[in-house]
Amino acid sequence: MMARAPASVFVELSESWSLGAMFGGAVAAGLVGAGARALGGSWVPLMVAVSFHRPVPTGVLPAGVETVHRGRTTATTRLVLGEQKALASAHVTWGAPERLVRTDAVEPAELPPAAEPAFGDLSPMADFRLVGGWPAGTRSGAARGVVDAWIRPRHEWWYEAGGRRVLDPRWYLVAADVIGPALLAAGVLGPFRVATVSLAVAVHALTSSTWLRQRVTARMCGDLAVGQVELVDASGTVVATATQHALLSPAQATELPVAVTGFGWGGPRPAS
């Protein structure tokens, strides 16, 4: 099938997901939502690869969507966020949701007791609970080990698939980025600026579980933080995997008192 001419759509990016610049997982979710609307029909993302070119502001932003392929079982779209200058771009492969729905996922009876870490402006958006504490890190280039945590959205992210209500797969994009590789790889040695370059998420299954277990492993390669993320539902099934790349650069303490994991460049925090 020949590629269709790009369609113009709009992506709404809420200030709730802003850390000086828009949080990258939320940008990815917004692009996927716009792609789904442009594509029409019942499709879920199977593979999402997002590149970030500039800091993304909040608000309603224009985007172009090109349908590269639309078959009976898969489809492919390309999206570019921004009008005069590209802020971010995404390549999305879509599939039928019925093939991914799980029927045996259950909510965990109990969550491991753990203090919720400070998330700043993200705390109203995601419930995040560490398991086993935060590992220390260095800049030696060795693997940093794994951050293990439970995470769920504080607001509803539901999707109807195959007659079942499941967790919206767009939330996987957000959950994969809540603890980005930069914070883990640097071992909280900040302050530093974060310029996330890319996020790639593969969707393996849809689940009715709202809590997802997040395992993140990261390492520093020079100034580049590289992270591997695994999202597991309450039944123990891996529902998504992700890879993220972020560039780190030094920051003054007055500019950025703590490290941030949002895409783009974090700005100064207001004085308390």
Side-chain angles (χ1 to χ4, degrees), residues 126-197:
D127 190 350
F128 182 90
R129 308 197 185 176
L130 277 172
V131 179
W134 185 263
T138 67
R139 289 184 177 271
S140 64
R144 300 292 172 257
V146 175
V147 163
D148 192 358
W150 286 100
I151 183 172
R152 70 174 175 182
R154 292 191 186 275
H155 305 287
E156 290 192 353
W157 285 72
W158 294 113
Y159 179 82
E160 295 291 333
R164 294 175 57 88
R165 191 173 77 153
V166 298
L167 189 63
D168 192 324
R170 291 180 301 166
W171 172 252
Y172 298 171
L173 308 176
V174 178
D177 183 46
V178 166
I179 291 295
L183 192 60
L184 176 58
V188 201
L189 294 177
F192 52 82
R193 294 178 183 270
V194 182
T196 303
V197 178

Side-chain angles (χ1 to χ4, degrees), residues 104-129:
D104 57 348
V106 293
E107 291 294 336
E110 296 183 14
L111 290 174
E116 183 177 340
F119 258 150
D121 294 338
L122 291 182
S123 59
M125 308 304 293
D127 190 350
F128 182 90
R129 308 197 185 176

Side-chain angles (χ1 to χ4, degrees), residues 11 13 26-36 50 63 65 79-81 88-90 92 94:
V11 179
L13 301 174
V27 174
L31 285 170
V32 168
V50 185
V65 183
L79 302 97
V80 178
L81 181 67
S89 56
V92 185
W94 306 83

Side-chain angles (χ1 to χ4, degrees), residues 95-112:
E98 292 79 7
R99 298 185 177 184
L100 299 177
V101 176
R102 293 195 51 78
T103 59
D104 57 348
V106 293
E107 291 294 336
E110 296 183 14
L111 290 174

Side-chain angles (χ1 to χ4, degrees), residues 139 188-193 249-260:
R139 289 184 177 271
V188 201
L189 294 177
F192 52 82
R193 294 178 183 270
S249 61
Q252 298 296 319
T254 54
E255 296 178 296
L256 200 62
V258 295
V260 296

Side-chain angles (χ1 to χ4, degrees), residues 7-24:
S8 295
V9 296
F10 289 92
V11 179
E12 185 173 355
L13 301 174
S14 170
E15 289 185 1
S16 300
W17 289 106
S18 175
L19 285 169
M22 271 298 298
F23 182 71

